[in-house]
Amino acid sequence: MGEPSLQETNENAVVDEPKLQLGQEFESIEEAYYFYNEIYAKTIGFSVRMGSTKRSKVTGEITWKQFLCSKEGKTDETYENSRRQHSSTMEERRCGIKRMGCKARLNIVFNKASKNWCVSDFEEAHTHELTTPKRVHLLPSHRKLTKAKKCLMEKLSSVNVRTSQQFKIMETVAGGIQNVGCIPRDLRNFERDSREEVKGHDATMLLEFLESEKEKKPSFYFEVDRDEENRMNRCFWADPTSKKAYYFFNDVVVFDTTYNTNKYRMIFAPITGVNHHGQTIVFGCGLLSDEKTESFIWLLEQWLKAMPSGPPKVIITDQDPAIAKAIAQVLPLTVHRFCLWHIMFKFRDKLGPVIAQSYYGLFKASVYNSKTKEEFEASWKNAVQQSSQENHAWLNTMYELRSKWVPAFCNHIFHAGMQSSQRVESNHSFFKSFVSVNNSLLDFATRIKRGLRQQRHEELIHDHVDSNEIPKTRTYYPIEKQMREVYTKEIFLRFQDEVVKSTAYLKCETLKEDENECVYNVLRAADDEQSWKLRQIVHDKVSGFAKCSCGGFEVEGIACRHIIFFFRSMNMVHLPIEYILDRWTKNAKVGRVWDDDGVEVKDAKGSGKRLKSSKEIAMNRQRNCGKCGKTGHNIKTCEKHNANGSSIQINPTEQSNEAPLSM
């Protein structure tokens, strides 16, 4: 026979066994259990469970305690046969028999004289095979979720780390699976038990959470609506930061009700917008038990009540009749548009796999490539005829509603990029990371809070970049240099891309002209593969405003490449202020002062007025003396200046020859 392997040597190694004997004493029941389970049983290779207990009839205190091998006793045959017949799940049928009539045990009795617990009976022999050291960590009494592990689980769950990943983290920290002290099933059982603990109290716990948020910040807004049986069926909340963000970026909002979340299948309905960095921001969160018109009305009314300014100019939603009715009632002056991404996402399902495979491309091209209403009408009709879907109810409905979602009909409506597929998918990715069928309402609310904190920190990072970096230019065109000082970096990069692409155009060709306006064709080179893309610019001679047929500026709020080329052909070196939306600039949030609680400050010095740019401040320093208010001198040279007062140092080199841009 050959030499035994290292594994066999370790498996069969003789370990010094701890000894137990009659009369051995322990200071407490806990100490006795620890010794019998953690030292003795773990070394020998078996699991321990609690046995019987005897108490004093006089004092009720424990006088005798028993610890048993986990395989003590036998499974009742009557119970086992009944369970086998009525077992409803595969997991129950897979459970084997674990009780094997083992007699191993440890009994201890309280010794009044020594005040200790003494071993009164000890049975060492087992009636079953003992577990090897390699597998002993799998036995029930040697697996335990400590408070530290439970705390770690709660932290990891709050940032959406799955249970399987949580166990891998514990394994890495412990240096091996055998050192973790539990198995993945223990983690899943703990999560199950935690959910059971809040069962029936979830709505109350959510309400307590919202009330605690309001105690921390009084301007935190929430409202809960209950049904006849006092059950929560609607909820809305908005924190101070959301309210402040709405004040500055309230032009376009998205009301998305496509998220089914938590174990109660309530609908999560966030109301979102976009900030000056092009990032998604949240204006409020709602939970609804149904998708009825009255529920949407309630939610929108609560949202408007919470916000610091009036209704938005544009609202984008899924195509839902109940939502449409609610918006018509609550937001009658707001332009309502359907989310293009959601509609296109439904196409394949509505058409069916066979029709979609052959003709989806035609419908998609009709929607995205049509630049005019007439082009869309013709291409849509062609797609319907080729696919033989003239009687398709859903297609006919969407055609009737085309003015609310087809780009050719909406290219005059500003939507701040909220209709792009990337934007919608990004929003879905953000919110779906917080939704789960296992979420309690409290879990969901706390996860959303953490997600918003992360989202707002990203905005802070972008603000920091804008304060400390200047983007590089890619051309020598002065407009590009001008706008890198005005736009936030993310928006400037979009504008810069349009500037670069404007170089693909060669000339503006006059198409027609009268006393009020002039129409131009913006042309590419004849050999350009995209020379067929013809754009027209209408230049109003009275106002000086130029409008492009692509609708890029009207929709995105950023001058398109065609307008930029037109300006260059007109020898314009600065972008007119009409094409600079304040909401995309670095100073977009300048104008109001808010405290840490999200409340607008009106009485503090310097607040309640529009904050000025550095160029405006420099110009104002030259106009008026800060002491007497007269012109022609400054506070430093003012005769009325108090020698003991503070002086303002003005650097004449700070003066700019260029007038500041109006934002």
Side-chain angles (χ1 to χ4, degrees):
M1 296 179 64
E3 292 290 333
S5 66
L6 179 62
Q7 180 177 354
E8 291 173 341
T9 302
N10 291 337
E11 288 277 329
N12 300 322
V14 177
V15 180
D16 292 337
E17 297 179 359
K19 301 298 182 181
L20 273 170
Q21 56 187 1
L22 295 176
Q24 187 172 339
E25 292 191 348
F26 301 95
E27 292 184 357
S28 64
I29 295 176
E30 291 76 17
E31 182 184 346
Y33 176 78
Y34 178 83
F35 184 89
Y36 189 52
N37 181 64
E38 294 293 331
I39 298 178
Y40 182 80
K42 196 170 187 177
T43 304
I44 301 300
F46 68 97
S47 182
V48 175
R49 63 183 174 87
M50 292 290 188
S52 301
T53 300
K54 292 182 180 179
R55 295 178 179 272
S56 168
K57 294 181 179 180
V58 178
T59 64
E61 295 179 347
I62 298 175
T63 58
W64 181 86
K65 185 66 181 176
Q66 184 180 58
F67 306 112
L68 305 169
C69 172
S70 62
K71 293 184 179 292
E72 181 271 343
K74 292 185 178 179
T75 303
D76 183 78
E77 292 186 4
T78 303
Y79 167 77
E80 181 62 28
N81 291 334
S82 175
R83 190 183 68 84
R84 188 182 299 112
Q85 293 174 5
H86 298 90
S87 179
S88 58
T89 66
M90 181 63 71
E91 184 175 352
E92 288 178 343
R93 293 193 292 271
R94 286 177 176 174
C95 292
I97 298 174
K98 298 179 180 179
R99 301 288 181 90
M100 298 184 177
C102 184
K103 301 296 183 181
R105 65 185 178 274
L106 173 69
N107 298 342
I108 57 175
V109 63
F110 184 69
N111 187 327
K112 294 182 180 179
S114 64
K115 304 295 183 181
N116 287 329
W117 293 84
C118 301
V119 176
S120 60
D121 186 21
F122 171 58
E123 176 59 52
E124 185 176 8
H126 293 264
T127 61
H128 56 87
E129 182 180 354
L130 296 174
T131 302
T132 63
K134 190 176 181 178
R135 302 195 309 271
V136 73
H137 68 281
L138 302 175
L139 295 173
S141 69
H142 304 306
R143 303 190 331 245
K144 182 180 181 182
L145 271 178
T146 62
K147 289 183 178 180
K149 287 189 176 67
K150 292 177 181 179
C151 182
L152 177 61
M153 283 186 65
E154 292 174 353
K155 296 292 185 183
L156 293 175
S157 295
S158 69
V159 292
N160 312 312
V161 178
R162 295 183 177 181
T163 307
S164 58
Q165 297 298 321
Q166 293 178 22
F167 187 80
K168 290 180 180 179
I169 293 173
M170 294 179 183
E171 174 191 345
T172 302
V173 173
I177 295 179
Q178 71 279 4
N179 300 325
V180 175
C182 59
I183 60 177
R185 184 195 304 166
D186 299 324
L187 272 63
R188 293 193 294 270
N189 290 344
F190 173 71
E191 287 189 334
R192 176 203 63 202
D193 295 342
S194 297
R195 291 194 296 269
E196 287 297 317
E197 286 181 6
V198 302
K199 193 173 183 180
H201 307 283
D202 204 2
T204 302
M205 294 174 69
L206 174 62
L207 181 60
E208 290 175 351
F209 167 77
L210 296 176
E211 289 175 341
S212 68
E213 291 297 300
K214 189 170 182 63
E215 287 180 5
K216 298 173 188 174
K217 295 188 175 182
S219 63
F220 182 93
Y221 181 91
F222 77 92
E223 190 62 51
V224 174
D225 184 54
R226 295 179 173 85
D227 60 15
E228 301 80 15
E229 299 179 12
N230 202 34
R231 297 176 302 186
M232 186 187 79
N233 61 349
R234 300 166 188 156
C235 179
F236 172 80
W237 70 94
D239 67 11
T241 305
S242 291
K243 297 165 68 174
K244 180 170 62 175
Y246 182 77
Y247 177 83
F248 294 111
F249 306 108
N250 58 17
D251 43 10
V252 182
V253 302
V254 173
F255 181 41
D256 195 346
T257 60
T258 59
Y259 305 98
N260 288 319
T261 180
N262 63 62
K263 59 185 178 182
Y264 306 105
R265 301 295 181 183
M266 295 189 78
I267 301 158
F268 175 52
I271 302 174
T272 63
V274 61
N275 66 12
H276 55 324
H277 299 295
Q279 299 170 303
T280 297
I281 49 179
V282 177
F283 297 141
C285 300
L287 287 170
L288 302 173
S289 60
D290 59 60
E291 297 181 84
K292 297 179 180 179
T293 299
E294 50 266 32
S295 292
F296 294 131
I297 290 175
W298 181 89
L299 184 60
L300 290 172
E301 287 178 342
Q302 295 302 322
W303 172 63
L304 283 181
K305 186 177 178 181
M307 294 300 103
S309 54
K313 296 178 181 177
V314 179
I315 186 168
I316 301 170
T317 73
D318 188 22
Q319 190 267 314
D320 185 303
I323 295 178
K325 291 179 182 178
I327 290 175
Q329 179 173 328
V330 182
L331 305 169
L333 301 180
T334 298
V335 176
H336 181 200
R337 290 290 178 264
F338 297 147
C339 178
L340 176 60
W341 185 89
H342 281 129
I343 292 175
M344 297 307 297
F345 184 78
K346 294 177 182 177
F347 252 88
R348 293 184 181 277
D349 180 58
K350 297 295 184 179
L351 291 176
V354 177
I355 300 297
Q357 183 176 4
S358 302
Y359 300 104
Y360 172 73
L362 282 177
F363 287 101
K364 184 177 179 180
S366 173
V367 172
Y368 286 106
N369 295 341
S370 299
K371 300 304 177 184
T372 66
K373 298 176 182 179
E374 292 74 20
E375 286 181 18
F376 172 77
E377 301 282 359
S379 59
W380 180 273
K381 183 178 180 180
N382 177 62
V384 170
Q385 290 177 345
Q386 287 199 36
S387 60
S388 302
Q389 299 299 304
E390 290 87 351
N391 297 321
H392 194 289
W394 186 79
L395 286 177
N396 291 336
T397 298
M398 298 317 301
Y399 177 75
E400 292 297 323
L401 296 171
R402 61 192 181 280
S403 64
K404 287 187 173 292
W405 64 278
V406 176
F409 289 80
C410 305
N411 62 6
H412 62 292
I413 303 296
F414 177 67
H415 60 60
M418 297 296 284
Q419 281 277 41
S420 69
S421 58
Q422 296 92 337
R423 168 72 57 187
V424 179
E425 289 170 358
S426 175
N427 289 357
H428 279 230
S429 175
F430 175 77
F431 286 116
K432 285 189 175 181
S433 63
F434 303 104
V435 301
S436 167
V437 294
N438 296 322
N439 276 353
S440 68
L441 296 178
L442 178 60
D443 283 340
F444 180 73
T446 53
R447 289 186 181 195
I448 286 292
K449 178 183 177 181
R450 184 170 288 104
L452 293 182
R453 189 183 304 142
Q454 173 188 339
Q455 187 183 74
R456 289 157 184 172
H457 189 261
E458 289 296 322
E459 180 177 349
L460 187 66
I461 293 174
H462 280 69
D463 287 339
H464 176 74
V465 169
D466 285 338
S467 299
N468 291 275
E469 296 181 14
I470 299 177
K472 296 179 181 179
T473 57
R474 296 168 61 187
T475 71
Y476 293 102
Y477 190 28
I479 280 183
E480 183 187 6
K481 188 175 181 181
Q482 170 201 2
M483 297 315 298
R484 73 173 179 176
E485 302 288 343
V486 178
Y487 283 145
T488 61
K489 181 179 179 180
E490 293 301 317
I491 302 304
F492 170 74
L493 293 178
R494 299 184 195 176
F495 175 78
Q496 185 182 61
D497 188 55
E498 295 297 317
V499 171
V500 172
K501 289 179 178 177
S502 72
T503 60
Y505 295 87
L506 294 182
K507 64 177 180 178
C508 283
E509 183 179 77
T510 303
L511 184 62
K512 61 181 180 178
E513 183 176 6
D514 57 30
E515 60 181 6
N516 295 319
E517 66 180 23
C518 185
V519 181
Y520 300 90
N521 282 337
V522 181
L523 304 176
R524 288 174 175 261
D527 59 347
D528 192 311
E529 62 181 8
Q530 296 187 9
S531 60
W532 58 273
K533 290 185 176 181
L534 185 66
R535 302 298 182 195
Q536 288 187 348
I537 290 180
V538 179
H539 181 218
D540 189 312
K541 294 182 178 180
V542 178
S543 66
F545 191 81
K547 181 179 179 180
C548 181
S549 60
C550 77
F553 175 71
E554 287 74 18
V555 172
E556 301 288 342
I558 301 173
C560 66
R561 64 200 69 171
H562 318 106
I563 290 290
I564 294 172
F565 174 74
F566 171 74
F567 289 155
R568 190 165 68 247
S569 67
M570 297 291 112
N571 297 319
M572 298 174 63
V573 295
H574 286 87
L575 189 67
I577 60 173
E578 292 85 358
Y579 296 88
I580 305 173
L581 296 193
D582 186 65
R583 62 136 33 252
W584 293 137
T585 68
K586 297 176 183 179
N587 292 330
K589 293 188 290 185
V590 171
R592 295 293 180 97
V593 179
W594 305 76
D595 64 12
D596 293 336
D597 191 31
V599 178
E600 183 183 356
V601 178
K602 295 183 179 180
D603 297 328
K605 292 183 178 180
S607 65
K609 298 181 180 180
R610 185 178 68 85
L611 300 184
K612 299 176 181 179
S613 67
S614 59
K615 290 185 177 181
E616 289 177 297
I617 293 173
M619 292 183 68
N620 286 338
R621 283 173 177 169
Q622 302 166 28
R623 293 172 182 169
N624 300 291
C625 171
K627 184 67 177 178
C628 67
K630 296 181 180 180
T631 59
H633 62 274
N634 57 36
I635 191 171
K636 187 176 181 181
T637 59
C638 181
E639 295 179 354
K640 295 183 178 181
H641 178 59
N642 190 338
N644 295 326
S646 61
S647 62
I648 301 176
Q649 300 296 327
I650 301 178
N651 187 349
T653 60
E654 292 179 351
Q655 181 177 350
S656 173
N657 293 324
E658 296 183 7
L661 290 172
S662 298
M663 295 295 108

